[in-house]
Amino acid sequence: MVTFAQGDVAGWSSLVDSQVDALAVPVAPAADGDDDVQPRTGTADAAARYGIDLARLADRAGLDGSAGETYTFHLPRALVARDPLPWEGLPDRLVLVGVGTGSDRDLRRAGAALARATTGLARVVTTVASEPGRGAAEAARSFVEGFLLGAYTSPTFGEAPAGARKPETGAGTPELVLLGKHEELVAATAVRATASARATWLVRDLAATPSNVKNPQWMAEQATELSRATGLRVEVLDGDALAAGGFGGILAVGSGSATPPRLVTVAYEPTAEHVADAAKHVVVVGKGITYDTGGLSIKPRESMLPMKTDMAGAAVALATVRAAAELGVGHRVTAVLALAENAFGGASYRPADVLRTYSGTTVEILNTDAEGRIVLADALAYADATLDPDVLIDVATLTGAATVGLGRTHAAVFSEDGGLVDALVAAGEATGERVWQLPLVTEYRSALDSPVADIRHVPGDSSTGAGSITAALFLQTFVGRRHWAHLDIAGPARSTAAAHEVPLGPTGFGARLLVRFLESLG
């Protein structure tokens, strides 16, 4: 929980009691020609109130004020009541937090570091998000998002029954009290930051759930339960309904699994008081492969290990529409979750098969391990034909090629709509979930020509290269004339090491990016 208290350190006596476990104050790098870290808002007041030279304390601790540094000073208590110390009655933990330049990135890192430094505490008061000289609301949002993301703990499946933890609970997160002078702005922004962080928590929780628990049916049940709790409309198409509807791609990918595939649609519509002047309908389609063996084109063991997270795109779509409802954005938002398990079995689809997808387009299969684009083909065509979106965005852990090209810090974005790309890039910069545009090279489209079907889903030979581009070109076939963007999050959706607000394993990348995009959509 995040709350706001009006005032500064000098007048915070109502907050300083036994219920406050720690006070956190910011420090920044030394100014040119100086050796000491710079105090920021509240730090000098805290030094005076505690009677402690905090600059000297920071120097002894070796702090340089860079973003993400913390030092916790545990204050002693007096042995006898007649000899009170200057900090008597104040929190006995004083945390110095490095805020670097005070940029959005640095404040997120500061928030994440404070969360780790205060793990297990109940209530933390801070002046870190009260920095002057920049937007108070944006400062608070970045810091709060960092704090909540850094406080996240991955679900475990030991003594508790598998799947017992409810997603996006944030259990164990300390209450964070923001002390400052911009109550209405900061308080409202803290609400938005909390909703965005909860969306990321949800993606992380769903992606971390092992696939012996998480199959297409389980994902559909989670989406139904979570969405109805938020007042959203949910529709689930099971195997029979998919067959009747002509979803040949999703059915083929899921054919080798004991659990049939699902297509889940979750819809949010703003109330009359929240509708934007130029309200749009944004549809987010997510790849939801609950486990990926590669099918008959089977993966090596090492490549299978992270494949429980191959449904991260669907989790992002679900989290985005739920956050849109929670925040009351002024646009209609619909999530389409294409859910299947790409298993290995006697009924598995094969290389050289020809599938008829929802749009009627036939696809020659060359590699059953390129299944994500097949389920997306059905889902995108369905969205185009039945949902009439003004903006259509798909998000998927789609290609290793995107990871090779951009690493684990950026997602690839593909679109011919420059305004849509600019809006996604801006949202990525604001949230730290950065995207980089790659081109839709029309000359590469011929690599998908097929002698036996309308299109191949992968090139017929390896001479073209550009695997992420040819995948995007394939998807473009199924989006009609919509304003469309494809987000390939294969790299940043999974982390090989914890760093700042990003944990080891599923990162939740994409949820905050799309929430911010919706908030800024004109």
Side-chain angles (χ1 to χ4, degrees):
M1 182 173 67
V2 180
T3 58
F4 180 87
Q6 182 78 24
D8 53 26
V9 172
W12 61 327
S13 56
S14 63
L15 290 172
V16 183
D17 55 33
S18 59
Q19 296 180 0
V20 176
D21 296 304
L23 168 67
V25 293
V27 293
D32 291 342
D34 198 354
D35 294 328
D36 295 331
V37 295
Q38 299 183 69
R40 289 291 186 249
T41 302
T43 308
D45 289 336
R49 188 72 184 273
Y50 276 83
I52 296 173
D53 186 343
L54 293 182
R56 188 172 183 184
L57 180 63
D59 181 62
R60 285 182 176 178
L63 300 184
D64 62 13
S66 59
E69 277 191 332
T70 60
Y71 179 73
T72 301
F73 185 56
H74 295 269
L75 295 148
R77 293 301 183 190
L79 288 175
V80 290
R82 69 174 183 272
D83 296 322
L85 296 169
W87 49 84
E88 193 68 32
L90 301 177
D92 60 6
R93 289 181 181 86
L94 191 59
V95 185
L96 300 178
V97 182
V99 296
T101 64
S103 65
D104 289 324
R105 184 199 70 167
D106 285 358
L107 286 172
R108 275 192 300 272
R109 291 183 173 185
L114 178 60
R116 289 190 295 273
T118 56
T119 297
L121 302 185
R123 198 175 192 215
V124 179
V125 175
T126 183
T127 63
V128 172
S130 304
E131 288 296 282
R134 67 185 307 272
E138 279 303 305
R141 179 162 191 165
S142 297
F143 178 75
V144 171
E145 284 185 0
F147 181 85
L148 294 175
L149 295 174
Y152 173 82
T153 58
S154 181
T156 58
F157 298 86
E159 295 180 1
R165 166 170 153 169
K166 293 291 185 183
E168 50 99 55
T169 57
T173 304
E175 178 188 356
L176 180 68
V177 181
L178 304 176
L179 199 62
K181 298 180 180 180
H182 309 280
E183 181 170 4
E184 292 185 6
L185 277 175
V186 174
T189 303
V191 170
R192 293 185 174 277
T194 302
S196 294
R198 273 204 295 261
T200 301
W201 286 346
L202 175 57
V203 179
R204 290 176 180 177
D205 274 2
L206 292 173
T209 301
S211 294
N212 62 312
V213 174
K214 176 181 59 189
N215 55 34
Q217 178 181 331
W218 184 90
M219 276 289 293
E221 290 169 352
Q222 296 299 304
T224 300
E225 179 181 350
L226 291 166
S227 299
R228 286 179 177 164
T230 321
L232 302 173
R233 288 187 293 107
V234 183
E235 181 183 22
V236 179
L237 300 182
D238 61 13
D240 291 340
L242 292 172
F247 291 86
I250 295 175
L251 287 167
V253 172
S255 62
S257 173
T259 305
R262 301 285 190 274
L263 186 80
V264 180
T265 303
V266 182
Y268 158 74
E269 188 161 352
T271 59
E273 62 191 88
H274 289 128
V275 175
D277 292 336
K280 294 179 173 60
H281 184 199
V282 179
V283 175
V284 183
V285 174
K287 170 189 170 184
I289 303 300
T290 60
Y291 196 75
D292 183 17
T293 67
L296 295 182
S297 306
I298 195 164
K299 293 178 182 289
R301 181 193 69 84
E302 294 80 5
S303 299
M304 283 193 210
L305 288 175
M307 286 300 105
K308 68 180 182 181
T309 69
D310 209 21
M311 36 55 66
V316 168
L318 174 61
T320 299
V321 71
R322 290 190 72 241
E326 184 176 350
L327 292 170
V329 301
H331 304 279
R332 291 173 60 202
V333 184
T334 302
V336 180
L337 284 56
L339 305 171
E341 181 180 32
N342 190 25
F344 183 102
S348 295
Y349 77 126
R350 296 158 290 261
D353 281 359
V354 174
L355 311 179
R356 185 172 297 277
T357 60
Y358 179 87
S359 67
T361 301
T362 57
V363 179
E364 180 187 6
I365 300 301
L366 299 186
N367 179 0
T368 64
D369 194 22
E371 82 298 327
R373 66 199 73 183
I374 299 298
V375 300
L376 289 176
D378 271 356
L380 287 167
Y382 171 78
D384 174 47
T386 68
L387 300 179
D388 192 25
D390 297 300
V391 179
L392 179 59
I393 299 171
D394 73 83
V395 55
T397 50
L398 202 64
T399 68
T403 307
V404 171
L406 297 177
R408 298 197 174 274
T409 61
H410 287 68
V413 60
F414 297 86
S415 179
E416 291 183 341
D417 186 327
L420 180 54
V421 170
D422 289 345
L424 289 169
V425 169
E429 289 298 321
T431 59
E433 295 190 334
R434 293 170 291 176
V435 300
W436 190 267
Q437 185 179 14
L438 294 181
L440 288 161
V441 183
T442 55
E443 289 83 358
Y444 298 166
R445 174 59 181 77
S446 60
L448 301 177
D449 290 346
S450 169
V452 297
D454 295 322
I455 192 172
R456 286 170 166 162
H457 70 138
V458 295
D461 60 59
S462 59
S463 61
T464 302
S468 60
I469 296 175
T470 54
L473 289 168
F474 174 80
L475 295 178
Q476 190 179 28
T477 306
F478 300 91
V479 301
R481 298 183 179 275
R482 305 294 173 180
H483 295 278
W484 163 75
H486 161 56
L487 288 170
D488 190 335
I489 63 169
R494 310 175 183 105
S495 174
T496 57
H500 306 295
E501 70 269 28
V502 177
L504 171 67
T507 65
F509 183 101
R512 290 186 301 115
L513 162 69
L514 291 179
V515 170
R516 186 67 70 100
F517 165 77
L518 291 171
E519 289 181 284
S520 63
L521 187 61

